[in-house]
Amino acid sequence: MNIKVLKDNSLSKLEMRELYAASLIEMIEGGEPIMITDADLMRPIGILPYLKKYPENIFDCGIAESNMIGVACGLSAEGFIPFTHTFACFASRRVMDQVFMSGAYAKRNVKMIGSDPGVCAGLNGGTHMAFEDVAMMRVVPEMTIVEPTDPVMLKNLLPQIVHSYGMTYIRLCRVQTEEIYEEGSSFELGRAAMLRDGGDVTIIAAGREVIEAVNAAKQLEKMGIQARVLDMFTIKPIDVEAVVSAAKDTGAIVTAENHNIIGGLGGAVAEVLAAHMPAPVEMVGVKDLFGEVASTEVLKQRFGLTAGDIVAAVQKVMARK
Amino acid sequence: MVSKEKIRELKLFAADIRIATLEQLKAIGIGHVGGSMSICDVIACLYGGVMNIDPGNPRWEGRDRFILSKGHAGPAMYSALALKGYFDYEELLTLNRPGTRLPSHTDMNKTPGVDMTTGSLGQGFSSALGIAVGCRAKKLNNYVYVLLGDGECEEGQVWECAMFAPAKKLTNLIGFVDYNKLQICGTVEEVAGLVDIGGKFSAFGWHVAEVQDGNDVEQIMDAISLAKSVKDKPSMIILNTKKGKGCCFAEDVFNHNMAVSAENADRAIAELKAYKESL
């Protein structure tokens, strides 16, 4: 792991999906036995332009997510490494039994992209706004859950995901994201990335909340509070060592996630602390609510997912030390 | 045309599969008698006359694949696997015992010769499609066989599969429906309005063969031969079967998942042995 953190966080030039598609194609050209399938969302995930050139490796299952997962599990039985894609809501709740039985129970090797999780669903609204996908996937034995933060991380993680056998759920925002890491940074699946160190409190964030955590830490610094910031991009298996060290070194934890606080990153961190190193925790996340229609930024405010909300949580948790 | 001698051999094999299945269910005292017995004849055809397999090398790359999508009929499949030498016959008596390699529903990670884990209805069909796509991509010159229950065809996923296979021209796929007309709570027509399964697959673009007596190995073999001659679409063979077929204490009673007493099992086995003598 070799992480360089950018000082300023502007929007990425490439969209996550462009990088996702290009990386998979690069690996196919490199001879990886990758199959890409989809449920009529190849255009939104950026794969469609490659369909004609790689008909052996890319095909559409149509709007039939259950069959898509099953077909992928069958491909895995033949030694292929299938990638499936649909929106996070369908990639989790619609196909849970297929993921569980044909996938995880059968010890298959399928890489499942759930795109536009939580507030990233924006104008698709509450019907499409998955605040529960991580919770559902976490209770599936042997499932790996990854939420890449920015294009640099995504590019670095995809080959690791391809080379690590097993069912993997990848929570992916499709569009531009704030750049967090310098080009050339490298990451290790299962290990949290420390963006900054501090001794007063630790903010453990994932996905779209990492930028909020970074901004919160800057504000806290001005207030004289030194926050450690961890990017917990592998939500399962969670980096137990990093969580325990954070509790030991800073004595208070704030989690931040674009997800229901029940069963998600906050829950995962709390489970580790309860077992190894009890410490006060405040969870920034969706408080058991359904989603609704709005822009991502408005939704972050609506559900209390902003840097300001993290700062408030830090003040609260430090008072509980 | 299959030779008379081969037909006799397949009938004997089907009877042996029934006997071995009863031995398993007798040992544990309960199980899916009806749906196991109804498929013994197609299983005999596949493992005794059709599939290109190597029991000494269950994962041989060039083999034909078989997915038992109605996974609860595992005991019938285990019987064929044991009789073909994938594992010892005595192991059949471990069915559903703690630590067994032979669980109720077929499991690719436990049992030599099982190509895919099944049990949640509808899912094995999708897996079979993925396996067929994969075999074609690897340019294997083989067939993928999948066996569905009729009640299973009430699952929506089955009809996602029905649309997928012809669209992808999966000509290396041959499916079967065990159309025994019964499910747990009644007939498939009473419970779910399920009629004319063949007509439905036909409408989705499959080659469909209706086998009048799905417990007659000769008719099954003819239907498989015909399916193999179809070169532009996947095939679905509708087997009009009898649930509990060939098991005297199970025919014409509720037999989906039932108690199997030693006395009943022994009686049924004795009848099957007498039937073998008569062939």
Side-chain angles (χ1 to χ4, degrees):
Chain A
M1 195 148 54
N2 176 24
I3 302 154
K4 293 188 193 105
V5 182
L6 291 166
K7 291 212 167 51
D8 297 306
N9 312 106
S10 53
L11 272 183
S12 60
K13 285 169 220 64
L14 281 180
E15 293 185 330
M16 293 287 260
R17 58 183 158 193
E18 293 175 271
L19 205 92
Y20 163 74
S23 298
L24 287 194
I25 296 301
E26 196 181 313
M27 285 189 276
I28 286 170
E29 286 182 341
E32 297 287 359
I34 290 172
M35 289 277 194
I36 303 173
T37 185
D38 210 300
D40 194 35
L41 291 173
M42 281 191 182
R43 190 187 301 276
I45 197 65
I47 289 290
L48 195 61
Y50 302 100
L51 178 62
K52 284 217 169 81
K53 193 171 171 198
Y54 302 92
E56 293 276 294
N57 300 81
I58 308 176
F59 62 92
D60 206 321
C61 286
I63 308 168
E65 294 82 5
S66 306
N67 185 47
M68 172 178 73
I69 297 297
V71 165
C73 294
L75 283 167
S76 160
E78 291 300 322
F80 292 95
I81 305 172
F83 275 73
T84 62
H85 166 250
T86 180
F87 290 140
C89 47
F90 310 133
S92 55
R93 62 187 193 231
R94 191 174 186 99
V95 296
M96 207 58 222
D97 190 35
Q98 286 74 18
V99 169
F100 187 97
M101 196 211 76
S102 296
Y105 181 79
K107 300 201 180 296
R108 296 299 87 220
N109 182 30
V110 180
K111 313 306 179 187
M112 303 172 291
I113 307 290
S115 66
D116 287 5
V119 295
C120 302
L123 299 187
N124 272 333
T127 55
H128 286 52
M129 204 160 285
F131 291 135
E132 66 290 329
D133 52 332
V134 172
M136 296 177 79
M137 291 293 178
R138 275 188 67 221
V139 294
V140 179
E142 298 172 26
M143 180 68 65
T144 296
I145 305 172
V146 185
E147 186 164 9
T149 309
D150 76 354
V152 170
M153 181 192 277
L154 177 62
K155 188 178 178 185
N156 187 254
L157 286 181
L158 278 172
Q160 293 185 52
I161 288 167
V162 165
H163 295 137
S164 120
Y165 189 94
M167 296 298 286
T168 307
Y169 178 66
I170 304 152
R171 219 176 178 234
L172 191 72
C173 171
R174 287 182 296 133
V175 296
Q176 291 168 297
T177 58
E178 290 83 1
E179 289 180 318
I180 303 288
Y181 301 102
E182 266 185 45
E183 193 68 44
S185 293
S186 61
F187 304 86
E188 198 179 316
L189 265 185
R191 295 280 310 276
M194 194 191 292
L195 275 78
R196 59 182 285 157
D197 205 357
D200 297 326
V201 66
T202 301
I203 305 167
I204 303 178
R208 293 305 293 265
E209 286 303 286
V210 172
I211 184 66
E212 304 298 334
V214 167
N215 290 336
K218 287 176 184 168
Q219 291 178 34
L220 288 164
E221 190 167 30
K222 287 176 190 156
M223 298 157 67
I225 297 169
Q226 299 301 327
R228 177 182 296 184
V229 177
L230 296 179
D231 182 346
M232 195 62 78
F233 58 87
T234 313
I235 299 172
K236 187 184 177 191
I238 196 164
D239 186 344
V240 172
E241 200 184 320
V243 174
V244 171
S245 297
K248 211 178 276 181
D249 298 345
T250 69
I253 310 278
V254 169
T255 59
E257 62 193 309
N258 170 24
H259 186 274
N260 196 327
I261 57 169
I262 299 173
L265 175 64
V269 167
E271 286 160 20
V272 172
L273 294 174
H276 299 282
M277 176 69 54
V281 183
E282 289 292 330
M283 297 181 194
V284 172
V286 178
K287 309 291 192 294
D288 207 20
L289 296 167
F290 291 110
E292 57 190 54
V293 172
S295 71
T296 296
E297 289 314 309
V298 169
L299 288 167
K300 277 189 169 185
Q301 289 164 24
R302 162 75 180 85
F303 291 109
L305 308 179
T306 66
D309 295 304
I310 295 174
V311 169
V314 164
Q315 290 171 318
K316 203 169 163 190
V317 82
M318 286 184 64
R320 292 172 56 199
K321 266 202 196 185
Chain B
M1 279 292 286
V2 188
S3 72
K4 285 216 155 36
E5 186 48 36
K6 185 69 188 176
I7 293 300
R8 182 172 171 273
E9 183 193 317
L10 290 173
K11 284 181 175 173
L12 287 168
F13 188 35
D16 282 335
I17 290 171
R18 286 194 165 87
I19 290 168
T21 302
L22 284 163
E23 298 277 14
Q24 294 173 69
L25 298 171
K26 173 187 163 187
I28 191 79
I30 187 169
H32 291 105
V33 178
S36 293
M37 289 296 153
S38 62
I39 65 167
C40 290
D41 307 290
V42 65
I43 295 285
C45 290
L46 288 171
Y47 283 91
V50 173
M51 279 170 51
N52 190 17
I53 47 175
D54 178 1
N57 184 9
R59 298 277 181 201
W60 166 50
E61 179 76 346
R63 74 191 185 282
D64 289 334
R65 301 338 186 227
F66 174 65
I67 296 92
L68 182 65
S69 196
K70 48 170 287 184
H72 57 279
M77 182 174 179
Y78 301 150
S79 297
L81 292 175
L83 289 164
K84 291 300 286 185
Y86 282 86
F87 48 84
D88 290 341
Y89 192 85
E90 290 68 41
E91 191 170 347
L92 290 175
L93 302 182
T94 70
L95 178 82
N96 286 336
R97 298 284 180 196
T100 186
R101 299 199 295 174
L102 308 176
S104 264
H105 302 87
T106 49
D107 189 323
M108 68 184 292
N109 297 302
K110 289 193 163 72
T111 317
V114 170
D115 289 320
M116 186 65 203
T117 299
T118 60
S120 183
L121 295 176
Q123 294 192 28
F125 196 2
S126 289
S127 300
L129 304 184
I131 287 170
V133 172
C135 288
R136 184 171 66 185
K138 289 192 278 190
K139 301 190 168 41
L140 300 179
N141 191 26
N142 66 345
Y143 277 94
V144 178
Y145 298 94
V146 59
L147 173 53
L148 308 172
D150 51 1
E152 181 174 13
C153 293
E154 293 163 18
E155 291 282 2
Q157 187 170 355
V158 166
W159 303 103
E160 295 185 359
C161 296
M163 197 179 297
F164 179 94
K168 305 303 178 197
K169 296 199 165 35
L170 294 180
T171 54
N172 57 347
L173 182 86
I174 297 178
F176 303 90
V177 176
D178 174 24
Y179 200 3
N180 61 40
K181 321 289 188 297
L182 292 173
Q183 58 189 111
I184 292 175
C185 294
T187 68
V188 293
E189 184 173 3
E190 285 165 356
V191 173
L194 183 62
V195 293
D196 189 19
I197 297 174
K200 291 175 172 58
F201 276 99
S202 188
F204 276 96
W206 293 64
H207 160 72
V208 172
E210 300 267 1
V211 175
Q212 288 305 315
D213 182 354
N215 293 117
D216 178 339
V217 292
E218 190 167 6
Q219 291 183 37
I220 299 169
M221 291 298 282
D222 287 347
I224 295 172
S225 292
L226 179 62
K228 284 188 166 184
S229 72
V230 175
K231 301 297 183 191
D232 60 345
K233 47 175 83 164
S235 294
M236 185 58 73
I237 297 171
I238 311 296
L239 303 167
N240 287 286
T241 55
K242 185 173 175 60
K243 199 163 180 174
K245 175 74 181 181
C247 177
C248 57
F249 67 87
E251 287 189 17
D252 306 315
V253 297
F254 174 78
N255 62 22
H256 183 80
N257 193 11
M258 69 187 296
V260 180
S261 68
E263 190 191 349
N264 272 339
D266 287 342
R267 188 161 56 92
I269 290 168
E271 282 192 14
L272 284 159
K273 284 181 175 165
Y275 162 74
K276 279 177 66 183
E277 292 297 321
S278 75
L279 287 172

